[in-house]
């Protein structure tokens, strides 16, 4: 072993491993600490805790990481594209839904106008028929009164008649036909 060689390097990672790939995870809640030990020279055996520095796997120079980053970016691009398409599709669907709703509302208003017209026509017919009914009832009452007056006149004529054949006449005209 050379005098300037390090025998061991212990590297501890922070617990906030959600931003790092799964193979970089750790369970420690402490900031990164580096432990150097077993230097050939005992003067160099020391423990050093550097200033708090965030470990960012994107800035490390792993050859497999560059393709992984490109794949991640491509996946994010695909996901964003899908979100964009879904958003456009949802907007179109909402627009079609609003158009269907408006068309249905227009049809309902057309139906309301038609039904109101029909209702007015039926009310007019009802009023006309009701007026005609009242007229017929009045005519019928008048005709009954006239018939009653004529019967009375006929009865009076029969009683006061100097001719005996008129006295024998029956009030019921249907009896003569029999």
């Amino acid at each position: 072993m050379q005098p300037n060689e390090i025998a061991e390097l212990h590297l501890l990672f922070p617990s906030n491993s959600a931003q790092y790939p799964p193979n970089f995870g750790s369970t420690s809640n402490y900031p990164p600490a580096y432990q150097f030990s077993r230097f050939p020279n005992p003067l160099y055996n020391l423990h050093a805790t550097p200033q708090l520095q965030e470990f960012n796997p994107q800035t490390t120079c792993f050859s497999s990481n560059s393709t992984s980053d490109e794949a991640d970016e491509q996946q994010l691009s695909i996901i964003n594209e899908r979100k964009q398409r879904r958003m456009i599709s949802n907007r179109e669907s909402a627009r079609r839904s609003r158009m269907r709703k408006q068309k249905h509302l227009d049809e309902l208003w057309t139906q309301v106008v038609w039904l109101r017209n029909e209702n007015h026509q039926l009310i007019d017919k009802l009023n006309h028929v009701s007026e005609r009914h009242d007229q017929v009832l009045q005519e019928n009452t008048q005709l009954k009164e006239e018939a009653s007056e004529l019967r009375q006149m006929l009865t009076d004529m029969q009683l006061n008649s100097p001719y005996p054949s008129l006295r024998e006449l029956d009030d019921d005209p249907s009896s003569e036909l029999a």
Side-chain angles (χ1 to χ4, degrees):
M1 186 180 312
Q2 300 294 332
N4 59 359
E5 225 176 73
I6 298 175
E8 285 185 38
L9 174 65
H10 296 281
L11 179 62
L12 303 174
F13 291 98
S15 66
N16 187 6
S17 60
Q19 59 184 344
Y20 304 117
N23 57 338
F24 286 98
S26 74
T27 58
S28 172
N29 288 333
Y30 301 104
Y34 303 96
Q35 183 179 21
F36 303 100
S37 62
R38 293 194 219 148
F39 279 97
N41 189 339
L43 293 175
Y44 294 110
N45 279 341
L46 56 96
H47 293 281
T49 305
Q51 296 264 331
L52 192 59
Q53 285 186 334
E54 184 102 339
F55 178 78
N56 189 350
Q58 294 172 348
T59 60
T60 58
C61 296
F62 293 117
S63 62
S64 65
N65 234 6
S66 65
T67 55
S68 174
D69 286 348
E70 290 172 6
D72 288 346
E73 286 179 21
Q74 190 174 16
Q75 272 187 325
L76 285 175
S77 173
I78 291 171
I79 289 171
N80 287 337
E81 187 178 324
R82 286 179 183 164
K83 283 181 184 178
Q84 189 71 21
R85 280 196 307 247
R86 193 175 328 118
M87 188 171 60
I88 291 170
S89 173
N90 287 346
R91 283 182 184 163
E92 283 297 314
S93 177
R95 185 185 63 79
R96 286 190 304 269
S97 176
R98 285 191 301 273
M99 288 176 65
R100 278 193 308 271
K101 184 178 178 181
Q102 185 63 45
K103 180 181 177 188
H104 183 65
L105 190 62
D106 291 345
E107 289 171 357
L108 288 175
W109 274 113
T110 302
Q111 189 176 9
V112 164
V113 168
W114 185 84
L115 288 171
R116 283 182 179 166
N117 262 348
E118 185 74 17
N119 192 25
H120 287 300
Q121 289 176 0
L122 289 173
I123 288 172
D124 289 345
K125 282 183 181 179
L126 178 64
N127 287 337
H128 179 70
V129 167
S130 179
E131 288 173 5
R132 186 67 185 129
H133 177 261
D134 290 343
Q135 289 173 351
V136 167
L137 285 178
Q138 285 177 350
E139 287 177 16
N140 194 17
T141 304
Q142 278 180 333
L143 289 174
K144 283 182 181 179
E145 287 174 4
E146 286 180 21
S148 177
E149 289 174 6
L150 289 174
R151 271 192 215 104
Q152 185 64 37
M153 286 174 65
L154 184 61
T155 304
D156 289 344
M157 288 167 94
Q158 286 175 347
L159 292 176
N160 297 331
S161 171
Y163 305 105
S165 62
L166 284 178
R167 288 184 205 149
E168 295 172 3
L169 284 177
D170 194 5
D171 286 340
D172 188 10
S174 61
S175 62
E176 292 178 14
L177 298 174

